[in-house]
Amino acid sequence: MKLNPKHLVTSLMLAVPLALASTASLAVERVTLKLAHNLDTTHVVHRALAQMAKDIDEASGGKMKLRIYPGGQMGGPRETLELIQNGALDMTKASASEMETFQPAYSIFSLPYVFKDSAHFEKVIYGPVGRELMNETKDIGFTAIAAYVAGTRSFYAKKEIHSPADMKGLKIRVVATPTTIKLIELLGAAPAPIPFGEVYTALQQGVIDGAENNEPSYVQTRHVEVAKYYIEDQHTSVPDFLVISTSTWNKLDDEQKQIITDAARKSEKYEHELWDQVVLESRQRAEQIGAKFIQVDKAAFREALAPLYDDFRADPVKAEWLEKIEAAAGE
Ligand code: GCU
């Protein structure tokens, strides 16, 4: 067979970077990192993390492994963040609300209606404001290295809700943070801080009347089966973060750090690309199961929750982050 010089050039162009990549990975030290989180393996964030594990493996020529423990095997985010602080775990996933207890700056995501739209939200989480925030916990043992969109959170309950007045007296599960607790109280409801994995039983047994989450979590956890009314008030946009232990990070060499950083960035894109489709599918699935989506006047919820803004403006740390987020809307 006669070689076509054009093909030869193309294959050489392909071969050179590949050869460089594999020589580089030969030098990578072997390491296995443990990552635990509380989501189901079908959740899009888990899928992004599984993809990341593959990318890390591939880029390191099989020398770096990421072992994932899903479904809350090592506890909820509070426990896994504590395991990280104690040096017993390398990585976890935590929502911004769950990070709030460790670093108050993260409370900004639990402030209702703080983002104008999804473009504003994405500008914040993938832009300089988000990247700055992700470094804010370095001194307490961990850093966030990827942010994952998580749509909007709305209430869902066993009974119809059309306005804040309908929430009076209801017991609503929240991720326990000072901001979310106040949010529920301002609506005249009672906050119930129950771990994610226990919400289904609490709803089923009538311990709580409702909860709040995005559509994928509402459906994947089967909460939809026991709380049929999904109220589209869309009060918050709370992203998930991939977190790595500071001491693990400091033990990695520059090449290992680069491999992880690149894979983490890629996992953000992967998750983002899938998100809208997953929301759509979750809504369809919810309707098949018998869920009823209720449109509400968001202005009424916004008004009832406005006092939270006074709290934020009165707190120097929270006020500073609120200003940064508001400024990002206009950029
Ligand atoms: C969402 C979020 C999780 C969080 C959960 C919760 O599903 O993605 O990170 O743990 O909500 O409400 O606890």
Side-chain angles (χ1 to χ4, degrees):
M1 194 183 80
K2 237 180 110 196
L3 274 180
N4 178 338
K6 245 196 198 156
H7 287 165
L8 192 62
V9 172
T10 331
S11 50
L12 274 177
M13 274 162 49
L14 283 174
V16 171
L18 277 180
L20 280 180
S22 60
T23 337
S25 61
L26 279 180
V28 178
E29 292 288 332
R30 284 193 186 277
V31 64
T32 299
L33 301 177
K34 284 190 268 175
L35 188 168
H37 66 75
N38 66 342
L39 298 170
D40 188 79
T41 51
T42 56
H43 194 286
V44 58
V45 168
H46 174 84
R47 285 156 62 194
L49 296 173
Q51 181 58 42
M52 179 171 136
K54 276 196 200 137
D55 289 338
I56 290 176
D57 191 324
E58 222 171 274
S60 66
K63 298 224 172 120
M64 293 172 71
K65 304 275 182 203
L66 187 61
R67 192 172 298 149
I68 307 180
Y69 301 83
Q73 294 173 44
M74 294 203 192
R78 176 182 275 265
E79 288 82 22
T80 49
L81 286 170
E82 281 170 5
L83 286 174
I84 284 184
Q85 287 184 314
N86 297 332
L89 184 66
D90 302 301
M91 292 164 97
T92 192
K93 170 284 325 165
S95 81
S97 296
E98 291 148 348
M99 301 278 276
E100 179 177 336
T101 339
F102 295 84
Q103 167 52 264
Y106 276 96
S107 61
I108 198 70
F109 293 104
S110 297
L111 188 59
Y113 306 110
V114 72
F115 298 105
K116 264 192 348 203
D117 48 29
S118 57
H120 178 202
F121 172 71
E122 285 164 24
K123 215 189 263 178
V124 168
I125 66 163
Y126 298 136
V129 179
R131 300 300 163 195
E132 186 189 340
L133 179 66
M134 284 158 72
N135 271 316
E136 287 287 300
T137 49
K138 217 181 229 150
D139 296 340
I140 56 161
F142 51 83
T143 311
I145 55 170
Y148 302 115
V149 294
T152 51
R153 291 176 82 102
S154 289
F155 293 110
Y156 49 90
K158 288 162 164 287
K159 62 161 233 177
E160 296 197 19
I161 292 170
H162 295 276
S163 71
D166 293 336
M167 299 213 38
K168 285 228 157 30
L170 295 188
K171 225 170 166 193
I172 305 288
R173 179 269 173 171
V174 282
V175 175
T177 78
T179 313
T180 47
I181 286 174
K182 174 104 189 245
L183 190 159
I184 301 296
E185 285 170 352
L186 284 170
L187 296 171
I194 297 176
F196 192 42
E198 292 164 30
V199 180
Y200 180 88
T201 316
L203 280 167
Q204 194 187 34
Q205 296 180 347
V207 175
I208 51 172
D209 303 295
E212 48 88 59
N213 220 315
N214 51 43
E215 297 92 330
S217 285
Y218 172 52
V219 175
Q220 263 173 12
T221 50
R222 299 177 24 244
H223 295 175
V224 54
E225 291 171 10
V226 278
K228 293 233 178 296
Y229 300 102
Y230 190 89
I231 325 303
E232 310 235 46
D233 63 283
Q234 303 184 320
H235 49 271
T236 48
S237 299
V238 183
D240 278 333
F241 288 95
L242 172 63
V243 165
I244 188 161
S245 132
T246 310
S247 73
T248 301
W249 186 252
N250 290 342
K251 278 183 217 141
L252 299 173
D253 63 32
D254 287 348
E255 196 179 359
Q256 291 172 321
K257 283 181 185 160
Q258 196 57 51
I259 288 174
I260 292 185
T261 306
D262 292 347
R265 284 282 170 280
K266 233 173 123 183
S267 75
E268 286 181 331
K269 285 206 194 81
Y270 177 93
E271 193 264 356
H272 185 201
E273 274 164 22
L274 293 181
W275 182 262
D276 288 347
Q277 183 60 25
V278 170
V279 170
L280 206 72
E281 285 166 11
S282 304
R283 293 177 69 95
Q284 284 165 353
R285 181 87 196 102
E287 272 169 350
Q288 281 163 7
I289 298 173
K292 191 173 163 205
F293 287 89
I294 300 179
Q295 301 297 323
V296 286
D297 174 17
K298 285 198 246 173
F301 283 85
R302 194 189 298 260
E303 199 184 313
L305 297 170
L308 269 169
Y309 279 78
D310 301 333
D311 293 359
F312 269 63
R313 299 211 194 275
D315 176 308
V317 174
K318 293 178 183 174
E320 185 195 327
W321 286 95
L322 176 54
E323 270 168 32
K324 286 180 188 169
I325 289 204
E326 286 174 340
E331 277 162 14

